[in-house]
Amino acid sequence: MGVKICCIGAGYVGGPTMAMIALKCPDIEVNVVDISKPRIAAWNSDELPIYEPGLDEVVKQCRGKNLFFSTEVERLVAEADIVFVSVNTPTKTSGLGAGKAADLTYWESAARMIADVSKSDKIVVEKSTVPVKTAEAIEKILTHNNKGINFQILSNPEFLAEGTAIEDLQKPDRVLIGGRETPEGQKAVAALKAVYAHWVPEENILTTNLWSAELSKLAANAFLAQRISSINAMSALCEATGADVSEVAYAVGKDSRIGPKFLNASVGFGGSCFQKDILNLVYICECNGLMEVANYWKQVVQINDYQKTRFVRRVVSSMFNTVSGKKVAILGFAFKKDTGDTRETPAIDVCHGLLGDKALLSIYDPQVTEDQIKRDLSMNKFDWDHPQHLQLQNPTSLTQQVSVVVDAYEATKGAHGICVITEWDEFKNLDYQKIYDNMVKPAFIFDGRNVLNMEELRKIGFITYSIGKPLDPWVKDLPAAAN
């Protein structure tokens, strides 16, 4: 075999990316290493630790041939020519920059370990989303501990969307590689480019300097999140004026300069990157004295929080201004369909809002376990991205108010209201007549994803609310709705 690749971190990015490299480059040996034994055991089993359409097939095709998952971190890093670092970069929960800055503890310890165990020259590739100038810090750690070994740092940010990760890896819009503008730096860029060139057309592999590559990832996520917050801001105005946000979004998206993607109004965006990356961007701007720019991007997150709060207010005000002691069904907990990922899902804040008003929640999601849901609801903000043993939890207080069930019919039986939080396809095809018959009347349905046919539901007898749509007479006349 030729080149040896090792990836530190067997998570949402490391696992699928390395599996695809192994599939497309049979001549390259790919090792994915992680200190978590259960996680590596899962990658080596029939039940992979993450759900992603198409991932199973790719892993099973290569595993044991040129794709290996191991806890032997140091040995495999030492043997590799190219080391990808794909560790968590959570938001700091305390200290300088708490709530905004990225916590680079895991990154730094990975860099020190690489310096420690290396006996030959290495190309070290940043795969995690990291703040601009991280490469410079990592470079310093490596070069100050280099024992005569040459390290080249590259930034190769990940542009995967969960739910379509395998598709995105097979046919990426672009692969971005940032490196130093020195002969050694350019040689390292060419080496990584040669890996991707096995299946990605040359014109889709972009090379830039290190800082541009690092900033491009934060900028791309900020632009995407900004579009969601823009249409969500419009959804509030649509409700106030009687406009329909879907019609507005369609008309706006028909402009070829704007385009139709990321214009679906919803209860809010989630996922591991959007909020984290924007807060990171805000922090970098503040550190550079760019307060106006920082405040501009901060507003994207504030609108997202406002949208979740607004949804909870609609639910409570519609149901006679109290949900205390009432069963409310929560359909969907993942941050979007076709993934089991719950990181920063809007469901968490919606559930907290309803629990704060003493609602009894019955939650169903086809891909998220009861364990995960209860863990998410009992965790402090930003803790999800830190190792489990550092997460403070208080799940006992939830047991009275939260139950997690195995299907939507069970969740809605005897409920006063239903909140659709994730746009799983199965929610469109439920037997809503049967659901209505088993609910307390008046029966309410709050569609946080605009996926249900509200006309049909009104005919059945539901009182309905959809984000950014003309309001049901019942909801319209409520004084609390304006808050």
Side-chain angles (χ1 to χ4, degrees), residues 155 176-181 186 189 207-216:
S155 172
L176 185 56
I177 303 171
R180 284 279 186 200
E181 287 147 315
Q186 290 308 297
V189 168
T207 56
T208 66
N209 72 29
L210 268 176
W211 325 136
S212 300
E214 289 182 321
L215 187 55
S216 296

Side-chain angles (χ1 to χ4, degrees), residues 119-239:
K119 296 176 180 65
S120 56
D121 293 357
K122 303 245 178 292
I123 296 171
V124 178
V125 184
E126 275 181 350
K127 204 69 187 148
S128 325
T129 309
V130 289
V132 186
K133 301 281 184 183
T134 302
E136 200 165 46
I138 302 305
E139 211 168 40
K140 283 177 183 153
I141 290 170
L142 292 171
T143 48
H144 281 279
N145 295 284
N146 68 359
K147 303 171 292 195
I149 292 165
N150 289 313
F151 294 102
Q152 282 302 321
I153 314 292
L154 300 179
S155 172
N156 174 218
E158 199 37 77
F159 293 105
L160 294 181
E162 282 177 47
T164 57
I166 295 300
E167 218 176 302
D168 297 343
L169 284 164
Q170 263 171 332
K171 292 196 179 78
D173 291 341
R174 78 297 205 192
V175 169
L176 185 56
I177 303 171
R180 284 279 186 200
E181 287 147 315
T182 59
E184 302 78 32
Q186 290 308 297
K187 202 171 147 193
V189 168
L192 185 54
K193 193 173 175 179
V195 173
Y196 284 110
H198 280 72
W199 80 97
V200 180
E202 186 94 11
E203 63 273 16
N204 290 359
I205 304 175
L206 317 181
T207 56
T208 66
N209 72 29
L210 268 176
W211 325 136
S212 300
E214 289 182 321
L215 187 55
S216 296
K217 171 64 181 172
L218 294 183
N221 276 347
F223 277 46
L224 290 170
Q226 179 195 40
R227 279 179 75 105
I228 297 172
S229 280
S230 296
I231 200 67
N232 281 345
M234 285 298 160
S235 75
L237 186 57
C238 286
E239 288 170 31

Side-chain angles (χ1 to χ4, degrees), residues 31 50 77 119 155 194-195 200 254 291 293 323 346 387 393 425 480:
N31 285 289
I50 60 177
V77 166
K119 296 176 180 65
S155 172
V195 173
V200 180
K254 272 299 198 190
M291 300 319 284
V293 183
V323 288
Q393 273 156 7
D425 292 337

Side-chain angles (χ1 to χ4, degrees), residues 415-418 435-436 439-446 461-464:
H416 288 251
I418 300 170
I435 286 174
Y436 179 78
M439 284 175 70
V440 177
K441 312 295 180 295
F444 297 86
I445 194 156
F446 305 92
F462 282 103
I463 292 159
T464 63

